[in-house]
Amino acid sequence: MAHAITSRIERLRKATKQVTKGNYDVHVPVRSNDEIDDLSRSFNQMTVSLRESEKEIRRQEERRRQFMADAAHEMRTPLTTINGILEGLQYDAIPEEDKQHSIELMRNDTQRLIRLVNDNLDYEKIRTNQISMERKVFDASAALHNLIDQLQKKAHEQNDQLKLTVPQALRVYADYDRFVQIMFNLIQNAIQFTSHGTIHISGRHLEKGSQFVVTDDGLGMTKDQVANIWDRFYKADPSRSTTKGESGLGLAIVHQLVQLHGGSIKVKSTLHEGTTFTVYFPDREYAPHLKAQNK
């Protein structure tokens, strides 16, 4: 009996030694229900947790590397353009009639860099909950009508139609500026990936909150693209979005802002058929408590 107990303890000792060396795949057999087997079960649960933690660390490291690569890529293109034009101006290699156009290109790329930096700073503040949220009840219908007016020109450039369907007064509990930011990004995204199509924006009040839907009949996405659209710098159509100077942070910011409101956002998409975003904001009595600055 003493030999059997000693053997089991020795197995645990050897397994523990493997864990200290970084091997989390060890498993101690459990055959009965005594104290040593309880200890073995706890040991096995610990190794499972360690394996999951190791996988998560690797995922986070890969995301960090990808972020650095994406950020460098996003900044390299406008910086290369600006540097090339400056060299052309310095050595008088740009004809006089083209100088104004070259300056405009530099201005656009400079604005793109500023937008990229600001979006990234906003994302970090939102992700770490360092932004001020002043939630209150307001009329979402009026806010959406204003947004449609602002985006009509952009939609016209794409030969798109914007159609808004909301009740005369639709009360929502949210931070007004952040609500506008969320809906602006979703509608602008729909316009960007729709040409000669229709974008439907609707809103309604449900039992415990307000729901807003943005539907387009544009490019659509594959399942893999849908699974990644909330990631920072991810672009479902990199070639097209790069030409329009988008930072790839809009939907990532939208996702974080909706979560800060205690709401939810869902997306359904079919390639070459279109995409639908559905956003939900809980009413005041169902919304999670944030901080004292919330109204």
Side-chain angles (χ1 to χ4, degrees):
M1 184 182 295
H3 176 72
I5 294 174
T6 303
S7 297
R8 293 162 66 193
I9 293 174
E10 180 65 16
R11 279 198 299 268
L12 270 171
R13 189 187 69 81
K14 289 181 179 179
T16 303
K17 200 169 183 179
Q18 288 295 313
V19 170
T20 61
K21 292 179 179 179
N23 178 16
Y24 304 140
D25 292 324
V26 292
H27 179 82
V28 179
V30 179
R31 296 188 178 90
S32 59
N33 290 307
D34 59 15
E35 289 81 357
I36 295 178
D37 279 313
D38 288 341
L39 182 60
S40 297
R41 289 189 188 92
S42 297
F43 178 88
N44 291 334
Q45 291 172 358
M46 179 191 70
T47 57
V48 170
S49 297
L50 287 171
R51 284 197 299 272
E52 291 300 318
S53 297
E54 185 181 39
K55 290 178 182 177
E56 181 60 26
I57 290 171
R58 289 176 180 174
R59 283 195 294 267
Q60 292 296 335
E61 179 62 18
E62 181 58 33
R63 290 181 65 184
R64 185 190 68 81
R65 291 176 181 173
Q66 187 63 46
F67 164 71
M68 295 302 295
D70 290 342
H73 173 75
E74 289 295 325
M75 293 183 180
R76 185 184 298 116
T77 302
L79 286 172
T80 301
T81 301
I82 293 169
N83 186 63
I85 293 173
L86 287 174
E87 286 184 355
L89 292 172
Q90 181 181 7
Y91 296 107
D92 291 325
I94 298 176
E96 189 65 35
E97 62 271 18
D98 292 335
K99 285 184 179 179
Q100 186 59 41
H101 178 64
S102 299
I103 292 172
E104 187 65 25
L105 286 176
M106 282 197 299
R107 182 172 175 271
N108 289 338
D109 276 340
T110 301
Q111 289 177 339
R112 180 180 171 190
L113 284 171
I114 293 171
R115 187 162 52 243
L116 174 65
V117 172
N118 287 338
D119 283 352
N120 192 55
L121 289 174
D122 282 347
Y123 178 87
E124 284 302 320
K125 288 180 181 178
I126 294 166
R127 187 181 65 84
T128 55
N129 199 21
Q130 295 180 15
I131 64 168
S132 175
M133 294 280 289
E134 297 185 0
R135 293 185 296 180
K136 59 184 179 181
V137 178
F138 61 89
D139 182 10
S141 296
L144 289 174
H145 278 290
N146 289 336
L147 274 179
I148 296 301
D149 291 340
Q150 294 176 32
L151 290 167
Q152 282 291 0
K153 181 179 178 181
K154 186 180 287 288
H156 181 72
E157 292 171 355
Q158 292 284 102
N159 293 301
D160 291 333
Q161 287 187 341
L162 300 178
K163 292 189 176 181
L164 177 62
T165 305
V166 288
Q168 187 172 1
L170 175 57
R171 302 180 73 76
V172 61
Y173 179 60
D175 180 289
Y176 180 86
D177 291 335
R178 301 302 178 179
F179 172 83
V180 170
Q181 185 178 3
I182 289 167
M183 298 307 298
F184 181 91
N185 274 312
L186 291 179
I187 300 169
Q188 181 176 247
N189 184 77
I191 295 171
Q192 181 184 347
F193 294 105
T194 304
S195 181
H196 296 84
T198 303
I199 293 124
H200 294 271
I201 303 100
S202 64
R204 60 175 179 147
H205 194 267
L206 304 179
E207 183 180 355
K208 297 181 179 181
S210 303
Q211 178 180 280
F212 302 88
V213 180
V214 179
T215 300
D216 66 66
D217 52 9
L219 294 179
M221 294 178 283
T222 65
K223 289 183 179 180
D224 288 340
Q225 289 171 334
V226 169
N228 289 288
I229 59 170
W230 309 126
D231 292 343
R232 183 162 46 176
F233 287 108
Y234 182 79
K235 296 177 180 179
D237 184 359
S239 61
R240 184 172 179 184
S241 55
T242 297
T243 60
K244 292 184 177 298
E246 300 301 327
S247 66
L249 285 163
L251 291 179
I253 290 173
V254 164
H255 188 250
Q256 294 289 340
L257 285 175
V258 171
Q259 288 187 326
L260 281 181
H261 280 84
S264 64
I265 181 167
K266 299 177 182 178
V267 57
K268 291 183 179 180
S269 188
T270 303
L271 192 61
H272 305 308
E273 292 186 14
T275 303
T276 297
F277 287 93
T278 302
V279 187
Y280 174 79
F281 294 93
D283 285 340
R284 186 198 299 267
E285 56 268 35
Y286 302 105
H289 176 71
L290 293 181
K291 293 182 179 180
Q293 74 264 27
N294 291 331
K295 297 179 180 179

